[in-house]
Amino acid sequence: MKKWWRGVLSVCGLLFSCAVGAKVENMPGGPKVDQLNLPEGVTQIAQDVMWLHWLLLTICGLIFIGVFGVMFYSIWAHRKSRGHQASTFHEHLGVEVAWTVIPFIIVIAMALPATRTVVAMKDTSSSDMTVKVTGYQWKWGYEYLDGPASGVKFLATLSTPRAQIENREPKGLYYLMETDNHLVVPVDKKIRVVVTAADVIHSWMVPDFGVKQDAIPGFLRDTWFRAEKPGIYRGQCAELCGKDHAFMPIVVEVLPQDKFDAWAEEQKKKMAANADDPNKEWTAEELIARGEKVYAANCVACHQANGKGVPGSFPALDGDKTVLGPKDAQLDVVLHGRPGTAMAAFGGQLNDVEIAAVVTYTRNAWSNAGKGEDPVVQPKDSVAKR
């Protein structure tokens, strides 16, 4: 028994020494080390929420001290051992009026500023720019609906290396809080955010903006923010949405207006240069090379790099009868998903070239090569299945 306790104490000591010796830095735009309070924020709404937090906490604290202070004093000072006898009395009008009116006044004093802030949160009128945000399992899609970046759209996917997630290398400063693409907005402009989802309920939350809006499939809900300082601000999906819920960070980059305009112009040129032609006839080699990248970005988390899937959760694609069968069946699954399962619909996330490429890749990867029907799928096949 003594040996067991010595072992436990040794492990605890080792963990404590590691914790003390490890240097942990604040994450710029994200949570701070040992942060116990709400973030100060860079929007008026975030600052109002912080002020309300302290106001309500102070009022509740004073009520707690007052009520329990009187109660404990009464119990201590009027205890039976000191000779006190319980009194018998009936209702008292003054007391009843007091304990009705005073709480009512307190509630009104708390409700007025809170209601003003909630109304301001919901007022998305007179916005300078609108961005549509779509939640997917498990990434975010952004589309600029107006302004200098009108027409620009992209997906933002977790960029933390799998080696860090699987503890094969040290975790970086932005562990699980960095994406390959940032939502970029101009400083000091009212940005309206229209939020929806393509599969299950997600929630778009950026604490420094004081913003948290649920993304519900089939519904459009909006919120807004006006960032007062340039910088990079981070958030996460705040609604449990499935296996990779923890891997849906949000990164918003706030730029001065001139830099935002330059970014918007650059994105438009990049989109034009990278635009895929679904009518083009692609070679098998081109589709497989493109499909491997699409698979790595969208499919590997569930189906694994070796195509073996996760037993009991996600099916293997290596040797799967749908992958080896007629192309239409697999195209239908990739485009529209499988209701009732974790297989999401990718028709809204990927274009027809990407759909055709990833389907072609899975039909020619691992042990599937040369075994199935329709080894090459063209973008026009995806267009037809939509």
Side-chain angles (χ1 to χ4, degrees):
M1 192 67 177
K2 290 182 178 179
K3 289 182 179 180
W4 184 85
W5 274 110
R6 282 199 296 268
V8 171
L9 293 174
S10 299
V11 171
C12 291
L14 178 62
L15 292 174
F16 178 77
S17 62
C18 290
V20 172
K23 182 180 179 182
V24 183
E25 302 177 25
N26 289 334
M27 182 185 297
K32 305 296 188 294
V33 177
D34 298 330
Q35 178 176 324
L36 299 177
N37 205 351
L38 299 175
E40 296 179 5
V42 293
T43 68
Q44 186 61 49
I45 292 294
Q47 292 160 12
D48 289 347
V49 169
M50 169 70 87
W51 181 82
L52 280 169
H53 163 71
W54 280 111
L55 172 67
L56 302 187
L57 184 62
T58 301
I59 292 174
C60 292
L62 292 175
I63 292 173
F64 177 87
I65 292 171
V67 170
F68 284 92
V70 171
M71 185 179 73
F72 288 131
Y73 172 78
S74 300
I75 294 172
W76 175 79
H78 302 91
R79 62 190 184 274
K80 184 178 179 180
S81 62
R82 298 185 64 177
H84 288 276
Q85 297 293 325
S87 300
T88 302
F89 55 88
H90 295 284
E91 63 273 0
H92 187 285
L93 180 62
V95 172
E96 292 185 1
V97 170
W99 71 35
T100 302
V101 172
I102 293 175
F104 178 77
I105 293 173
I106 293 174
V107 169
I108 294 299
M110 295 165 68
L112 286 176
T115 302
R116 184 174 62 247
T117 300
V118 171
V119 170
M121 285 179 175
K122 300 301 180 182
D123 182 14
T124 58
S125 61
S126 304
S127 60
D128 297 301
M129 191 173 71
T130 301
V131 180
K132 181 183 177 184
V133 178
T134 304
Y136 299 99
Q137 289 180 308
W138 288 271
K139 61 180 75 69
W140 294 100
Y142 298 103
E143 181 178 358
Y144 293 79
L145 302 183
D146 56 20
S150 177
V152 173
K153 57 182 179 180
F154 52 82
L155 295 174
T157 306
L158 176 74
S159 61
T160 298
R162 295 299 304 182
Q164 291 186 17
I165 296 172
E166 296 167 359
N167 295 318
R168 290 186 282 108
E169 66 179 39
K171 293 174 171 50
L173 178 61
Y174 300 107
Y175 178 69
L176 298 185
M177 293 291 283
E178 184 58 87
T179 59
D180 52 358
N181 293 305
H182 297 174
L183 173 62
V184 181
V185 298
V187 69
D188 204 28
K189 297 292 183 181
K190 185 172 184 177
I191 311 300
R192 178 173 175 244
V193 182
V194 179
V195 182
T196 188
D199 34 52
V200 299
I201 298 177
H202 302 276
S203 189
W204 198 80
M205 179 187 73
V206 182
D208 276 311
F209 296 163
V211 170
K212 179 184 180 294
Q213 182 64 69
D214 285 352
I216 303 175
F219 290 84
L220 292 175
R221 310 182 72 196
D222 61 355
T223 184
W224 69 277
F225 64 88
R226 185 195 300 270
E228 298 173 353
K229 296 178 182 178
I232 294 179
Y233 305 98
R234 303 174 191 277
Q236 291 174 297
C237 176
E239 189 72 32
L240 185 60
C241 59
K243 167 182 169 287
D244 284 354
H245 162 68
F247 302 155
M248 284 186 68
I250 299 159
V251 184
V252 183
E253 187 170 351
V254 181
L255 298 177
Q257 185 65 55
D258 57 339
K259 291 186 178 180
F260 172 77
D261 292 340
W263 174 87
E265 188 64 28
E266 179 186 354
Q267 293 303 306
K268 288 184 176 181
K269 291 179 181 178
K270 187 182 296 184
M271 285 183 63
N274 295 334
D276 289 318
D277 182 7
N279 298 313
K280 174 186 172 182
E281 197 77 14
W282 293 63
T283 66
E285 291 74 17
E286 290 174 326
L287 288 168
I288 291 171
R290 179 74 176 274
E292 186 175 10
K293 297 178 181 178
V294 177
Y295 183 88
N298 298 276
C299 314
V300 72
C302 297
H303 297 292
Q304 305 302 309
N306 58 10
K308 298 298 184 182
V310 179
S313 300
F314 303 99
L317 300 182
D318 187 12
D320 180 72
K321 62 180 182 179
T322 302
V323 177
L324 296 176
K327 61 187 177 185
D328 283 354
Q330 187 181 5
L331 280 171
D332 186 64
V333 171
V334 176
L335 284 167
H336 307 117
R338 273 188 172 153
T341 73
M343 180 58 192
F346 283 87
Q349 304 180 46
L350 305 176
N351 63 35
D352 292 302
V353 173
E354 292 169 325
I355 294 287
V358 75
V359 170
T360 300
Y361 169 72
T362 58
R363 287 169 171 261
N364 291 274
W366 318 301
S367 67
N368 294 342
K371 291 184 179 180
E373 304 178 42
D374 304 325
V376 177
V377 178
Q378 292 294 334
K380 62 183 180 182
D381 298 322
S382 175
V383 174
K385 284 300 293 180
R386 286 183 187 270

